[in-house]
């Protein structure tokens, strides 16, 4: 197994690590038993993600996917963030080893969970289809 | 500073071993089966190496069979005995839950072929109980296979007592001694061992070479058929350089065992004491009955692969039994076998030392480790939960 330089770069110097105390949306996916938990904090203004932070417990690829995924949605409208796929995350990292693909799924799910949390807290109607994933974390 | 602390995975070849090997490539390169002088020189080198290995194990030369390594030896011993004993109607094998996969996967396969397998518990301290073994032995038990020392948590099993029970009950006893040979005293006669697996690269010998000891008179089936090498037991032109290097390394390891162990235990304890100062850390396996160079620890709220990669960036080579390093979904079966919850087992770290390590290197590891753990915990939602739970208590 080998990580791309991009994965190592984001693992060694992850972007957007931390918490947002007054976050507008928080999403947490994964579980300790499986060895990875991702928690995303979003600051949202006028439907745009103005800030994003993450906390991740997991392997190098879990940390790297959290880092690059937060980069990819920062400053973006929610509609665009919801379109972020795990495939795009993997591509941005110049690939992940096959056994690590589930980490990228986790990143996509964490973002969606945080957006959903924002919608629910604010009573904003949303389309279930945009949050099309299993609540429970499954490795694929 | 560079620190190689993954000697249970593999070791650097010793100068003695390498010096013994080199002429086997350039001068003594004949086939030991050839009758000409060049072949006979290789034959003699092989004979001497076999004698050396036999002396280190306390057995006779004709009880030592060279193989490609520990995995082949384990496969051969278990399958070879199972097939031979099945002819006598004995199709039950006893082992433990935390054996190496070379043993466990062989047993899984045999189960599919109609054998029955009992895996003994190893309890929280990672040591099998002889009483459990006594209770597990049946009339149709063909073989007991229990490792000498565990590769991950380093715990040493009561091999002599296990061997005595097997002798008393008339059951054959194999031990995977890959982590033990060359590190702690092993004497196949005194330990009542019928078959034993060893691997050259775990004691500063070359990779791709090992041996199987089998007590004279025991019938077991061949695994590799072909030429008449190894007394007709294991076909294939012998890896003469590898075998010669392994024998030289083993002799060196056995000659220096006491001195090395003393040094290793001091460094091991230095590491363990330092590690236990880290909040929510634990040492896996019995504190006393463990290999001189083995430190196995868990750090809550931290995932092992991240830990080991950050250590690598600091120049420290270690290993982990986390799921992410094994390529499977579950953490190491060894850590689960001693009762660790998944989330704790994911945060495991193994540091395995050799006599070339220094106390200064241990200081260096201990200077790097807490900072790395803090860094990972700072970004760990699991650590946040653990902290909240302990604060609310």
């Amino acid at each position: 197994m080998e990580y791309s330089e991009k994965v190592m770069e984001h693992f060694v110097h992850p972007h957007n690590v931390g918490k947002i105390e007054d976050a507008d949306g928080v999403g947490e996916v994964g579980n300790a038993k499986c060895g990875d938990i991702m928690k995303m904090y979003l600051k949202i203004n006028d439907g745009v993600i103005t800030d994003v932070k993450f906390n991740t417990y997991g392997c190098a690829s879990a940390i790297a996917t959290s880092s690059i995924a937060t980069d990819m949605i920062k400053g973006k409208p929610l509609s665009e963030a919801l379109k972020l796929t795990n495939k795009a995350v993997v591509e941005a990292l110049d690939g992940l080893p096959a056994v690590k693909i589930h980490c990228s799924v986790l990143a996509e799910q964490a973002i969606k969970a945080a957006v959903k949390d924002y919608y629910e807290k604010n009573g904003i109607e949303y389309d279930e289809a945009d949050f099309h994933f299993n609540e429970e974390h499954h490795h694929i | 500073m560079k620190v190689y602390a993954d000697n249970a995975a593999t070791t650097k070849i010793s100068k003695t071993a390498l010096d013994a090997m080199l002429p086997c490539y350039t001068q003594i390169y004949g086939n030991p089966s050839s009758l000409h002088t060049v072949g006979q020189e290789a034959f003699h080198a092989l004979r001497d190496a076999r004698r050396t290995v036999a002396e280190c194990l306390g057995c006779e030369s004709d009880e030592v069979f060279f193989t490609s390594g520990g995995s082949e030896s384990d496969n051969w011993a278990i399958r070879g005995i199972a097939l031979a004993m099945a002819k006598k109607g004995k199709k039950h094998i006893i082992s433990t839950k935390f054996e190496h996969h070379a043993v466990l996967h062989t047993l899984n396969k045999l189960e599919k072929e109609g054998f029955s397998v009992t895996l003994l518990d190893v309890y929280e301290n990672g040591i099998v109980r002889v009483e459990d073994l006594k209770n597990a032995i049946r009339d149709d038990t063909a073989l007991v296979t229990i490792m000498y020392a565990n590769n991950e948590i380093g715990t040493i099993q009561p091999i002599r007592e296990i061997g005595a029970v097997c002798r008393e009950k008339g059951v054959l006893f194999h031990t995977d001694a890959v982590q033990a040979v060359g590190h702690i005293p092993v004497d196949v006669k005194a330990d009542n061992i019928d078959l034993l697996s060893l691997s050259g690269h775990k004691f500063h010998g070359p990779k791709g070479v090992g041996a199987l000891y089998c007590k004279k008179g025991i019938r077991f089936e061949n695994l590799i058929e072909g030429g008449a090498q190894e007394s007709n037991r294991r076909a294939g032109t012998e890896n003469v350089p590898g075998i010669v290097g392994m024998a030289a390394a083993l002799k060196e390891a056995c000659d220096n065992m006491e001195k090395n162990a003393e040094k290793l235990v001091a460094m091991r304890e230095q590491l363990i004491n330092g590690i236990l100062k880290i909040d929510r850390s634990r040492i896996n396996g019995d504190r006393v009955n463990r290999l001189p160079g083995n430190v196995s620890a868990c750090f809550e709220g931290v995932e092992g692969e991240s830990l080991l990669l950050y250590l690598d960036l600091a120049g420290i080579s270690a290993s982990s039994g986390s799921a992410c390093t094994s390529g499977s979904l579950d953490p190491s079966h060894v850590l689960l076998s001693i009762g660790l919850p998944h989330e704790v087992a994911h945060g495991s770290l193994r540091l395995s030392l050799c006599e070339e390590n220094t106390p200064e290197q241990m200081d260096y590891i201990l200077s790097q480790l807490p900072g790395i753990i803090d860094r990972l915990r700072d970004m760990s939602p699991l650590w946040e939960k653990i902290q909240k739970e302990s604060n609310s208590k």
Side-chain angles (χ1 to χ4, degrees):
Chain A
M1 196 185 80
E2 194 187 23
Y3 283 129
S4 69
E5 275 177 34
K6 199 95 185 171
V7 171
M8 285 310 287
E9 193 185 303
H10 277 271
F11 167 62
V12 178
H13 303 291
H15 307 166
N16 311 310
V17 176
K19 285 187 261 185
I20 300 175
E21 294 301 341
D22 58 344
D24 298 310
V26 179
E28 183 184 308
V29 293
N31 65 63
K33 197 174 179 225
C34 292
D36 36 30
I37 302 174
M38 234 177 247
K39 199 167 180 181
M40 295 269 179
Y41 299 82
L42 302 179
K43 201 74 192 141
I44 294 158
N45 199 348
D46 278 346
V48 172
I49 298 170
T50 53
D51 196 11
V52 51
K53 296 268 186 223
F54 80 88
N55 262 357
T56 290
Y57 155 77
C59 58
S61 57
I63 291 169
T65 52
S66 310
S67 167
I68 203 153
T70 51
D71 275 355
M72 291 166 90
I73 61 163
K74 202 169 178 176
K76 298 279 162 61
L78 289 175
S79 56
E80 219 173 295
L82 286 173
K83 282 186 198 133
L84 183 77
T85 62
N86 80 297
K87 198 163 163 273
V89 172
V90 173
E91 276 167 13
L93 287 170
D94 295 335
L96 276 177
V99 291
K100 302 289 189 179
I101 295 294
H102 72 272
C103 296
S104 64
V105 177
L106 221 51
E108 180 191 328
Q109 291 179 348
I111 291 167
K112 287 183 173 164
V115 174
K116 198 175 181 183
D117 177 57
Y118 164 73
Y119 284 159
E120 280 172 356
K121 271 185 193 154
N122 293 279
I124 301 169
E125 273 186 39
Y126 58 87
D127 186 356
E128 256 324 312
D130 285 340
F131 302 92
H132 181 63
F133 65 85
N134 295 322
E135 290 286 342
E136 204 183 325
H137 164 50
H138 288 297
H139 284 93
I140 58 162
Chain B
M1 189 184 263
K2 291 270 177 218
V3 185
Y4 183 77
D6 200 12
N7 288 279
T10 196
T11 56
K12 181 175 92 177
I13 196 160
S14 78
K15 190 175 182 306
T16 311
L18 188 60
D19 287 347
M21 289 171 78
L22 290 175
C24 300
Y25 289 107
T26 52
Q27 294 153 43
I28 314 168
Y29 53 79
N31 187 322
S33 300
S34 301
L35 289 178
H36 48 62
T37 309
V38 187
Q40 287 303 293
E41 281 170 358
F43 177 81
H44 292 146
L46 192 62
R47 180 196 60 196
D48 294 347
R50 200 183 307 277
R51 191 180 298 144
T52 302
V53 171
E55 278 167 7
C56 291
L57 297 176
C59 66
E60 302 298 325
S61 280
D62 58 359
E63 294 176 311
V64 175
F65 304 95
F66 293 119
T67 68
S68 65
S71 291
E72 185 192 326
S73 297
D74 284 340
N75 272 261
W76 186 14
I78 295 166
R79 181 163 286 276
I81 291 293
L83 296 182
M85 294 301 280
K87 290 175 185 164
K88 297 180 183 172
K90 296 196 172 190
K91 295 184 81 171
H92 175 234
I93 302 169
I94 300 168
S95 189
T96 73
K97 288 181 176 167
F98 76 162
E99 295 295 312
H100 191 273
H101 283 136
V103 169
L104 288 179
H105 290 177
T106 302
L107 293 175
N108 284 345
K109 218 168 165 198
L110 285 169
E111 260 184 318
K112 286 182 188 133
E113 294 167 26
F115 288 83
S116 70
V117 173
T118 302
L119 297 181
L120 303 175
D121 278 327
V122 290
Y123 300 93
E124 206 183 317
N125 63 352
I127 293 177
V128 73
R129 293 187 187 165
V130 179
E131 204 54 36
D132 290 351
L133 171 66
K134 279 185 191 164
N135 294 333
I137 293 178
R138 315 192 308 215
D139 290 340
D140 65 339
T141 303
L143 177 71
V144 170
T145 173
I146 293 175
M147 67 200 327
Y148 211 113
N150 185 270
N151 49 311
E152 277 185 51
I153 57 173
T155 51
I156 300 168
Q157 305 306 305
I159 292 299
R160 196 164 289 190
E161 291 83 347
I162 291 168
V165 168
C166 292
R167 281 284 148 84
E168 189 195 315
K169 303 257 187 181
V171 177
L172 293 173
F173 173 43
H174 165 252
T175 183
D176 170 358
V178 165
Q179 295 289 337
V181 168
H183 300 279
I184 54 173
V186 173
D187 180 325
V188 292
K189 295 282 181 286
D191 290 344
N192 309 305
I193 296 165
D194 295 314
L195 299 104
L196 173 145
S197 303
L198 66 88
S199 175
H201 72 106
K202 304 294 190 185
F203 45 76
H204 303 288
K207 291 162 184 66
V209 60
L212 175 66
Y213 151 79
C214 181
K215 192 167 172 263
K216 219 175 287 181
I218 292 175
R219 291 181 61 88
F220 66 120
E221 301 280 321
N222 291 355
L223 205 61
I224 298 172
E225 301 292 354
Q229 290 88 356
E230 299 297 299
S231 317
N232 265 322
R233 303 312 314 261
R234 199 270 188 188
T237 299
E238 299 87 345
N239 171 7
V240 179
I243 290 166
V244 166
M246 174 171 71
L250 182 56
K251 184 167 182 346
E252 191 178 31
C254 290
D255 287 348
N256 296 294
M257 191 182 285
E258 221 171 307
K259 190 179 74 189
N260 289 345
E262 197 180 327
K263 189 179 172 197
L264 287 172
V265 168
M267 290 192 287
R268 179 190 76 190
E269 293 306 305
Q270 186 188 345
L271 272 185
I272 288 178
N273 291 333
I275 283 171
L276 288 175
K277 285 185 189 141
I278 296 171
D279 191 20
R280 295 224 172 217
S281 64
R282 54 163 286 143
I283 296 298
N284 304 315
D286 197 273
R287 281 294 305 274
V288 181
N289 284 318
R290 67 190 303 133
L291 290 169
N294 175 287
V295 176
S296 169
C298 284
F299 304 95
E300 286 183 44
V302 170
E303 196 282 327
E305 187 204 85
S306 293
L307 177 56
L308 113 79
L309 286 174
Y310 276 145
L311 282 169
D312 186 43
L313 291 166
I316 300 162
S317 307
S319 78
S320 168
S322 80
C324 282
T325 54
S326 68
S328 75
L329 304 185
D330 286 323
S332 128
H333 68 287
V334 173
L335 299 173
L336 297 181
S337 77
I338 58 167
L340 294 186
H342 279 65
E343 56 270 32
V344 175
H346 283 303
S348 75
L349 177 72
R350 180 187 69 184
L351 297 158
S352 46
L353 313 173
C354 83
E355 62 282 2
E356 282 190 21
N357 289 117
T358 63
E360 291 70 33
Q361 289 181 331
M362 303 304 110
D363 285 336
Y364 178 69
I365 294 173
L366 292 173
S367 75
Q368 297 296 307
L369 195 54
I372 291 172
I373 289 170
D374 279 350
R375 188 176 171 203
L376 286 167
R377 281 178 172 170
D378 275 349
M379 65 164 111
S380 166
L382 178 60
W383 181 245
E384 196 186 343
K385 280 189 184 88
I386 293 168
Q387 294 290 90
K388 268 185 198 153
E389 274 165 28
S390 70
N391 287 342
S392 66
K393 267 175 199 164

